[in-house]
Amino acid sequence: MLSEAAKSKIDREIEKYPSDQRQSAVMSALAIVQDELGWLSSEAMDDVAKHIGMPAVAVYEVATFYNMYNLKPTGKTKITVCTNLPCALSGGVEAAEYLKAKLGVNWKEITKDGKFSVVEGECMGACGDAPVMTVNNKRMCSFMSKGKIDALVEELSK
């Protein structure tokens, strides 16, 4: 299931660690596979485990602990909204409700056109910039007012 390109990228990550610590590359390996496939199926996680040389259950533990990993298909663009206490107190819950209403979805749902999913996230380490959202785990958006949410959705819709 893993492409040769993914295996090559994972091997580069493995090389960053001592030979007896290959499992340290598991988070990077999961991100590489998710970037390629869009989500992590059981088969994909099994292949990561086999390639790294670690028990599949250990890979599942990592993938299910962190919410940056998609264990089922998502929209093309996944917007994660921090609703942890500092963001919640600074408008994160309201921003999330506005975004979900704007897109016509609830948490973890995919818009009818397949473009968007909205998921609830834990602390993103930017409490002073609340409310905070990330786009596909790669781009952080700060101070997300209704106007900024509108502009983000418009930009991502293109």
Side-chain angles (χ1 to χ4, degrees):
M1 167 162 260
L2 296 180
S3 72
E4 290 306 314
K7 287 179 185 178
S8 177
K9 289 177 184 176
I10 292 168
D11 289 343
R12 284 195 299 275
E13 293 299 318
I14 291 170
E15 290 172 5
K16 295 176 181 178
Y17 302 97
S19 60
D20 64 334
Q21 298 296 314
R22 293 172 58 93
Q23 73 276 9
S24 297
V26 68
M27 290 184 72
S28 297
L30 290 170
I32 289 164
V33 173
Q34 180 170 281
D35 283 348
E36 186 173 282
L37 302 176
W39 67 291
L40 298 171
S41 66
S42 297
E43 295 82 10
M45 289 186 281
D46 289 344
D47 286 352
V48 166
K50 183 177 179 183
H51 190 76
I52 292 178
M54 61 190 292
V57 68
V59 174
Y60 293 172
E61 288 171 345
V62 172
T64 58
F65 181 78
Y66 295 101
N67 74 347
M68 66 190 131
Y69 300 116
N70 306 323
L71 302 180
K72 59 183 182 177
T74 66
K76 180 181 175 193
T77 301
K78 178 179 82 169
I79 301 175
T80 305
V81 183
C82 182
T83 58
N84 221 354
L85 188 57
C87 276
L89 292 173
S90 297
V93 174
E94 292 84 1
E97 292 305 316
Y98 180 77
L99 177 63
K100 291 188 302 179
K102 181 171 187 63
L103 296 175
V105 295
N106 284 310
W107 296 121
K108 298 183 180 180
E109 291 181 347
I110 301 171
T111 56
K112 291 183 190 330
D113 61 7
K115 287 185 178 180
F116 295 99
S117 292
V118 180
V119 298
E120 192 169 17
E122 285 297 318
C123 183
M124 297 175 188
C127 303
D129 293 352
V132 176
M133 300 178 182
T134 59
V135 177
N136 291 333
N137 303 322
K138 307 276 190 232
R139 173 183 168 193
M140 183 173 286
C141 303
S142 301
F143 307 108
M144 295 306 290
S145 63
K146 289 179 181 180
K148 282 188 150 189
I149 292 169
D150 291 341
L152 178 66
V153 170
E154 182 178 334
E155 172 198 333
L156 297 172
S157 294
K158 294 179 181 175

